[in-house]
Every structure is written in C-alpha cells, then in structure tokens.
Amino acid sequence: VQLQASGGGLVQAGDSLRLSCAASGRAFGAYGMGWFRQAPGKAREFVGGISWSGQTTFYSDSVKGRFTISRDNAKSMVYLQMNMLKPEDTAVYYCAADRGLGLYLTDYDVDGMDYWGKGTLVTVSS
C-alpha cells in the first residue's frame, strides 16, 4: 500500500482544515487507517484511527470533539476533518495503515503501523 497525505496549509486559530490520504492497493478496504502527527522537537503521536469498515473510530484526548476521521473505501481515501484548530495542532500530519482491521486502540501504535505516507504540514497561527 502506498499512501499520500495532502491538504495541509497555514491557517489561523479557530479555523478548519480537511486532510486527505490517498491509498493505492486492493487491500486498502481491509486495513485500519490512522492519522498521526509530529511537531518540531517532539515524538510522533497518534491523532485518530478508523477501522476497516469505518464503523469504529478512535481519537487522542487532545483532538477529541474537534477532529473527525472518516474513510471512503470505494475511493481508497481517508480524511481528517480538523475544526477549532489551535496553535498546538501545528505539526506534520501523516496517514498510516495497519494490516489488521483496526478494531482496537492498540492497533494504532506508532511503531506498529505497517505503511506510512509522506506527511503534510499544518501550521496554525495564533
């Protein structure tokens, strides 16, 4: 599976942004998908995850209620809708795939994801 994230940019605090992740490969529909981010000088961290069917989602506490992850298996796409953005959301955002079904939060460990795309930079100004 090859992944390509897009949609990043420079926004102001309180604005919204939607990230997209395009996937190639016929097995996409069977993979759990996650969004992660890495701020300057910090470790990469989990943001959100979605199971293979899209019926189960997970979020980090820092984005819960503001971010929404979704997927369209017919288009091999995963999205991250980010609302009420804060300066602390500034980071490079990555999408990643887990060859499991993504049914459990533990499936979205940074070190356990099987495929990674190149990131897209989100900068939130105050």
Side-chain angles (χ1 to χ4, degrees), residues 8-110:
L10 172 63
V11 297
Q12 293 186 329
D15 285 351
S16 297
L17 203 60
R18 188 176 84 153
L19 304 183
S20 300
C21 175
S24 65
R26 287 179 292 179
F28 168 81
Y31 292 169
M33 296 297 298
W35 283 98
F36 297 78
R37 67 186 182 187
Q38 188 166 17
K42 295 188 177 181
R44 192 170 298 187
E45 65 175 5
F46 168 75
V47 174
I50 187 166
S51 65
W52 69 279
S53 66
Q55 290 189 334
T56 304
T57 57
F58 304 94
Y59 299 95
S60 67
D61 288 342
S62 61
V63 307
K64 197 173 295 182
R66 299 188 298 123
F67 291 11
T68 302
I69 188 171
S70 61
R71 67 189 295 163
D72 184 338
N73 285 348
K75 296 181 179 179
S76 296
M77 296 291 294
V78 181
Y79 306 98
L80 185 69
Q81 178 66 43
M82 305 185 294
N83 298 329
M84 295 182 289
L85 282 161
K86 305 175 181 180
E88 50 263 44
D89 294 319
T90 295
V92 177
Y93 283 72
Y94 300 88
C95 60
D98 169 46
R99 284 183 290 186
L101 299 178
L103 298 175
Y104 307 101
L105 181 59
T106 52
D107 291 338
Y108 301 96
D109 180 76
V110 170

